[in-house]
Amino acid sequence: VRLAVIGTGLIGGSIALGARGAGDMDVVGFDRDPAATGRAAELGALDRAAGSIEEAVAGADLVVLAMPLDQFDESCRAAAGHIGEDTVVTDVGSAKAHPVAVGEELFGARFVGGHPMAGSERHGIEAADASLFGDAFWILTPTPATSSDAYRRVARLVSVLGAKPIALDPVVHDALVARLSHVPQLAASALVAVAASAGDREALLGLAASGFRDVTRIAASNPDLWVAILKSNRGAVIDALEGLRGTLGTVAELIAGEHWDDLHGFLARARSARLDLFAKPVHDGEPVALSLIVPDRPGVLAEVTTAAGHIGVNIEDLRIVHSTEGGRGRVELIIAGQEPAEKLSAALHELGYSVHLGEID
Amino acid sequence: VRLAVIGTGLIGGSIALGARGAGDMDVVGFDRDPAATGRAAELGALDRAAGSIEEAVAGADLVVLAMPLDQFDESCRAAAGHIGEDTVVTDVGSAKAHPVAVGEELFGARFVGGHPMAGSERHGIEAADASLFGDAFWILTPTPATSSDAYRRVARLVSVLGAKPIALDPVVHDALVARLSHVPQLAASALVAVAASAGDREALLGLAASGFRDVTRIAASNPDLWVAILKSNRGAVIDALEGLRGTLGTVAELIAGEHWDDLHGFLARARSARLDLFAKPVHDGEPVALSLIVPDRPGVLAEVTTAAGHIGVNIEDLRIVHSTEGGRGRVELIIAGQEPAEKLSAALHELGYSVHLGEID
């Protein structure tokens, strides 16, 4: 099987490395930046570096389009005239309706949209890693026009890379990522904007608790990256924003009208959905929170987690809340089950920590 | 100084314990639940258990009203007739405009509103702890009508308990907590509701990344507690919800109109505000993220954090992302500075972990 990878950055480079590692694929690569193509070959990601898109796709059985979103249309058209009749084409864009429309126009039944759910914190070929997709989901977006043979060939590549393919309609995919990623990002930024406009830093610091910290963590993300993502999923993002605004409007009406039972119902349904969505597959017990004040220095976390390891207690989640005054912080541990939580609490108490133990609030 | 504490739950009980521990206060307590009053005395929180509010406040120099929000008005009125002319009264409610209005009506210049920013994950006297307020902020809400002597006496109690008093106007306080706590809570629930309505569980799971997990974590909070909190700050919450809806509407218009530069500016300003708000007081370097796949079992976290402790690298933040497939998870560490991050990365690599190192995305 000859695989052509167009765009040898983090994603394309990792696909190339993984495919070559699997042993039975001949991998040709091209990147608009010749240095990136060369480096991909040096790092062992490519059997052969191509000098152009046309050269890379000629004779390929499977083409992966992994260039930045804003180069997709142009690269697609450059590849179109030089691709074999049976060649299957896929992409890795984070929105799917637009690339699928362009891809099907140019490649018909042989285009299968894809979106690997992995690895965004680094960029470029230096960050590429054959194991990037291990255990990750990889969305594929076949349509009624997609050839089942083409789908099978792309799904096989996904499996070879260690990921789990999930098939979704491209429009459903875009609506879901708008709701699960793009609009939460905008909501986090909007919550920061609304808060920051309302008080001075000392007052904000005094009142901002760990909940606000969690909700707004992603507001610190890279704006360049996010503008490109939001551009690529414009329609679905606008729809989902309207959905969120509508829901918040309903909530405001419930509060204004003092419909407390209905508000309770809304919060309770959201709570169930959230717990259900991120429930661990194997539950050992109800989650219990342990909170302790610790000095803010190297080694403390090791003391706490070693104590848990010694008595065989698994830490489900751990968060560090730094004191704004410096020198001290709070560590919050989540343990599944009252009994292991009490065991760990006792062990930490013996080590001299003051431990609070309670339900998740 | 004689201190009367009305409501000996988590907050009232912790105040009583801390005040008694300071040595120079005589603490009288009352709780509507006689068992809670008795238990507070048994645990050493009280010098004397009173049989009624009237008995508790008689002869007190300082009264702390720490009952649940929905009993505030009634308890206030019960205390009013039995309180000395110089007695100072404070409360601990999480919204301030309403209690300050009621308190000033009944106690005039001697009422000082308060809101300790500590300890909500447990309830009841069993959870009380003299060190609950250590290092915490404690908002006080004096008005032009407040006596400066009364303010000084309440601020002194706050300092004795180990907390740092911050003075804020009650209306400003309510606007800020609406924006920093109450509306983020509603936004998290609304984001879950909007997402849950859009797809089946497998599709949601496949697409929900760690960002969604963070943003919506607080949607799993207790709805009973939240309805009571939202009731107590109704007007400010409605205002702040409208502020959020307006901001989201502006964002939707920027996207619809393809004003990408303005959208970039909005995201960049929110990013700066977020980074500024939770910046650690002492920066050792730019934050660097380390991400590694680990088996989901006791002891692994200890191995990772011990490695950091051994080489003197302080872990600024740590998050555990469980694989939805079970058996494996991902640990994300935040380290201040490229050099210590690389040192830790190398150490973990030697232990056999595959480590990704990069900027915060």
Side-chain angles (χ1 to χ4, degrees):
Chain A
V1 177
R2 177 179 292 187
L3 178 72
V5 176
I6 312 302
T8 58
L10 169 70
I11 300 293
S14 298
I15 292 171
L17 276 169
R20 276 204 82 202
D24 61 345
M25 284 191 235
D26 178 44
V27 183
V28 183
F30 169 76
D31 196 286
R32 203 159 70 159
D33 172 7
T37 319
R39 190 72 184 126
E42 270 172 43
L43 290 171
L46 307 178
D47 291 291
R48 190 160 59 80
S52 68
I53 291 183
E54 295 78 355
E55 185 192 333
V57 303
D61 299 295
L62 181 55
V63 174
V64 178
L65 301 168
M67 70 288 301
L69 294 169
D70 56 0
Q71 296 164 29
F72 179 82
D73 290 25
E74 188 193 332
S75 306
C76 235
R77 288 180 206 285
H82 304 267
I83 235 164
E85 259 184 32
D86 295 327
T87 305
V88 170
V89 182
T90 187
D91 79 322
V92 298
S94 59
K96 298 269 52 85
H98 175 76
V100 168
V102 174
E104 291 195 342
E105 179 201 327
L106 295 169
F107 310 111
R110 293 167 295 127
F111 185 84
V112 184
H115 178 196
M117 302 303 295
S120 70
E121 80 261 31
R122 303 183 64 204
H123 300 281
I125 181 67
E126 301 299 333
D129 181 340
S131 69
L132 184 66
F133 308 110
D135 259 5
F137 291 102
W138 191 309
I139 314 299
L140 295 177
T141 57
T143 71
T146 309
S147 125
S148 57
D149 176 58
Y151 181 82
R152 264 198 308 277
R153 282 158 70 185
V154 176
R156 198 179 306 138
L157 173 67
V158 168
S159 299
V160 162
L161 297 173
K164 182 187 171 190
I166 297 183
L168 277 180
D169 175 84
V171 174
V172 171
H173 169 279
D174 289 359
L176 281 169
V177 289
R179 283 158 179 77
L180 289 163
S181 170
H182 306 170
V183 165
Q185 176 68 37
L186 293 168
S189 298
L191 285 165
V192 170
V194 167
S197 68
D200 62 25
R201 186 163 182 272
E202 197 193 19
L204 288 167
L205 261 178
L207 286 160
S210 62
F212 187 75
R213 185 167 176 270
D214 281 356
V215 173
T216 60
R217 189 185 67 87
I218 56 173
S221 301
N222 180 341
D224 299 339
L225 193 72
W226 272 98
V227 169
I229 292 171
L230 294 164
K231 256 187 199 178
S232 76
N233 200 22
R234 189 169 152 262
V237 168
I238 293 171
D239 281 355
L241 269 176
E242 286 313 307
L244 177 62
R245 291 186 72 222
T247 302
L248 292 171
T250 306
V251 167
E253 281 166 24
L254 293 180
I255 295 173
E258 309 202 40
H259 301 300
W260 305 118
D261 286 348
D262 292 343
L263 183 69
H264 190 280
F266 166 78
L267 294 172
R269 283 190 303 278
R271 176 174 200 259
S272 300
R274 176 57 174 72
L275 290 174
D276 181 51
L277 187 53
F278 289 104
K280 270 191 76 183
V282 182
H283 257 306
D284 304 307
E286 279 299 296
V288 177
L290 259 69
S291 168
L292 56 162
I293 304 289
V294 298
D296 203 356
R297 59 163 175 78
V300 172
L301 216 51
E303 199 168 294
V304 170
T305 56
T306 301
H310 274 319
I311 56 174
V313 171
N314 197 15
I315 295 172
E316 303 295 315
D317 210 346
L318 185 156
R319 294 187 322 124
I320 304 168
V321 182
H322 296 286
S323 165
T324 49
E325 317 242 285
R328 285 168 63 159
R330 200 170 75 244
V331 169
E332 294 175 1
L333 307 169
I334 306 293
I335 307 298
Q338 189 68 27
E339 198 194 323
E342 281 173 8
K343 245 170 84 180
L344 178 56
S345 175
L348 292 173
H349 193 79
E350 258 178 47
L351 289 171
Y353 292 99
S354 165
V355 186
H356 289 273
L357 193 148
E359 287 175 58
I360 316 294
D361 70 327
Chain B
V1 177
R2 177 180 290 187
L3 177 73
V5 176
I6 312 301
T8 58
L10 169 70
I11 300 294
S14 298
I15 292 171
L17 276 169
R20 275 205 81 201
D24 61 344
M25 284 190 235
D26 178 44
V27 183
V28 183
F30 169 76
D31 197 286
R32 202 160 73 160
D33 171 8
T37 320
R39 190 71 183 124
E42 269 172 43
L43 290 171
L46 307 178
D47 291 289
R48 191 159 59 79
S52 68
I53 292 184
E54 294 78 355
E55 185 191 332
V57 302
D61 299 295
L62 181 55
V63 174
V64 178
L65 301 169
M67 69 290 299
L69 294 168
D70 57 0
Q71 296 163 28
F72 178 82
D73 290 24
E74 189 193 333
S75 306
C76 237
R77 288 180 207 286
H82 304 267
I83 235 164
E85 259 184 32
D86 294 327
T87 305
V88 170
V89 182
T90 187
D91 79 321
V92 298
S94 59
K96 297 268 53 84
H98 175 75
V100 168
V102 174
E104 291 195 341
E105 180 201 325
L106 294 169
F107 310 111
R110 292 167 295 127
F111 185 85
V112 184
H115 178 196
M117 301 303 297
S120 69
E121 80 262 29
R122 303 181 65 203
H123 300 280
I125 181 67
E126 300 299 334
D129 182 341
S131 69
L132 183 67
F133 309 109
D135 259 3
F137 291 102
W138 190 309
I139 315 299
L140 295 177
T141 58
T143 72
T146 309
S147 124
S148 57
D149 176 58
Y151 181 81
R152 264 198 307 278
R153 282 157 72 186
V154 176
R156 198 178 305 139
L157 173 67
V158 168
S159 299
V160 162
L161 297 173
K164 182 186 170 191
I166 297 182
L168 277 180
D169 175 85
V171 173
V172 172
H173 168 278
D174 288 0
L176 281 169
V177 290
R179 283 159 179 76
L180 289 164
S181 170
H182 306 171
V183 165
Q185 176 68 36
L186 292 168
S189 298
L191 285 165
V192 171
V194 167
S197 68
D200 63 26
R201 186 164 184 271
E202 198 193 17
L204 289 167
L205 261 178
L207 286 161
S210 62
F212 187 74
R213 185 168 175 270
D214 281 356
V215 173
T216 60
R217 190 185 67 85
I218 55 172
S221 302
N222 180 343
D224 299 339
L225 193 72
W226 273 97
V227 169
I229 291 171
L230 295 164
K231 256 188 199 178
S232 75
N233 200 23
R234 188 169 153 261
V237 168
I238 292 170
D239 280 355
L241 269 176
E242 285 315 307
L244 177 62
R245 291 187 72 223
T247 302
L248 292 172
T250 305
V251 168
E253 280 165 23
L254 293 179
I255 296 173
E258 309 203 41
H259 301 300
W260 305 119
D261 287 347
D262 293 342
L263 184 68
H264 190 281
F266 166 78
L267 294 173
R269 283 190 302 278
R271 177 173 198 259
S272 301
R274 176 60 174 71
L275 290 174
D276 181 51
L277 187 54
F278 289 105
K280 269 191 77 182
V282 182
H283 257 304
D284 303 308
E286 279 299 296
V288 178
L290 259 69
S291 167
L292 56 162
I293 303 288
V294 298
D296 203 355
R297 60 163 173 77
V300 172
L301 217 51
E303 201 168 293
V304 171
T305 55
T306 301
H310 274 319
I311 57 174
V313 171
N314 198 14
I315 296 172
E316 304 294 314
D317 209 347
L318 185 155
R319 294 186 323 122
I320 304 168
V321 182
H322 296 286
S323 164
T324 50
E325 317 241 286
R328 286 168 61 161
R330 199 171 75 245
V331 169
E332 294 175 2
L333 306 169
I334 306 294
I335 307 298
Q338 188 68 27
E339 197 196 323
E342 280 173 10
K343 246 170 83 182
L344 179 57
S345 175
L348 293 173
H349 193 79
E350 257 177 49
L351 290 170
Y353 291 99
S354 165
V355 185
H356 289 274
L357 193 149
E359 288 175 59
I360 315 295
D361 71 327

